[in-house]
Amino acid sequence: MKLSLPLIAAAAGVANAHTIFSSLEVGGVNQGEGQGVRIPSYNGPIQDVTSSSIACNGSPNPTTATSKIITVQAGSNVTAIWRYMLGGTGSAPNDVMDISHRGPTIAYLKKVTNAATDSGVGGGWFKIQQDGFANGVWGTEKVVNGKGRQDIKIPQCIAPGQYLLRAEMIALHGASSYPGAQFYMECAQLNVVGGTGAKTPATVSFPGAYSGTDPGIKLSIYYPVVASYTIPGPSVFTC
Ligand SMILES: *[C@@H]1O[C@H](CO)[C@@H](O)[C@H](O)[C@H]1NC(C)=O
Ligand SMILES: [Cu+2]
């Protein structure tokens, strides 16, 4: 049986096809699942953009604390590794996230005093990467078809010190009403070295940066099929 696109979207909405940012790769070395990344007990999404769990996940998916703080060089790339289930290899697309889960990939940083203990809730967040919809391809499709890898450049011009890195994928298959969009995010704990501190980014809050009426959060992507897409949140900070 061949399903129409809206039916595929509806079927995907009930499928257990979620994802977790489960580890961080730095300089070609995977730091280990849950090592310096706060992984949740369950791979389901956050759907309430006003919940404190929109910052670094959490209730109803409690996250596990980790004492590791990962050293990264300002100006270099890190890679968030996404997995449908913890322990997965990412070798098959379904090992990353169901392909029906289409939407943007986004990353933010927040300067903190102690990356191992800061909840991430509140102000201080600035966006450093985003990939929405271009030439008919969603940011999430590149991650799903690319073994779960989301490349994120740590800006050269930020101040050295500890940061939280919030890597996010938003799945829009059920976003025609709100709540409907599925927000997947976890936070990694970083110590950024070598930053010049030449620029101070403008910041936003989580919760606060997103609204249930944002054009990139409440929309139908399948019917009608979108022609363009507005990524939620602020513009990307650049040096
Ligand atoms: C580094 O990450 C950025 C995204 O922030 C990406 O556009 C760029 O291609 C990456 N560079 C490398 C060498 O992977
Ligand atoms: Cu899902």
Side-chain angles (χ1 to χ4, degrees), residues 1-12:
M1 177 173 119
K2 191 169 187 303
L3 293 178
S4 69
L5 278 175
L7 277 178
I8 292 171

Side-chain angles (χ1 to χ4, degrees), residues 77-78 128-129 151-153:
N77 271 24
V78 299
I128 57 169
Q129 176 268 333
D151 288 327
I152 302 164
K153 182 171 184 177

Side-chain angles (χ1 to χ4, degrees), residues 12-13 15-19 43-45 84 97-98 100-101 171 173 182 184:
N16 190 16
H18 312 317
T19 194
N43 64 1
Y84 165 53
M97 181 169 72
D98 192 275
S100 67
H101 284 38
H173 52 284
Q182 299 186 348
Y184 297 95

Side-chain angles (χ1 to χ4, degrees), residues 24-100:
L24 190 71
E25 189 179 294
V26 178
V29 179
N30 188 287
Q31 303 295 301
E33 194 169 87
Q35 298 299 307
V37 183
R38 303 171 189 174
I39 53 177
S41 58
Y42 176 62
N43 64 1
I46 301 300
Q47 295 192 267
D48 178 357
V49 297
T50 69
S51 158
S52 58
S53 298
I54 199 77
C56 288
N57 213 318
S59 175
N61 316 321
T63 54
T64 302
T66 164
S67 59
K68 182 170 174 135
I69 297 175
I70 302 167
T71 297
V72 307
Q73 192 71 38
S76 73
N77 271 24
V78 299
T79 305
I81 304 294
W82 291 87
R83 292 289 181 263
Y84 165 53
M85 295 293 271
L86 296 177
T89 62
S91 51
N94 281 347
D95 205 14
V96 176
M97 181 169 72
D98 192 275
I99 193 65
S100 67

Side-chain angles (χ1 to χ4, degrees), residues 169-180:
M169 297 211 284
I170 307 177
L172 299 169
H173 52 284
S176 55
S177 60
Y178 175 84

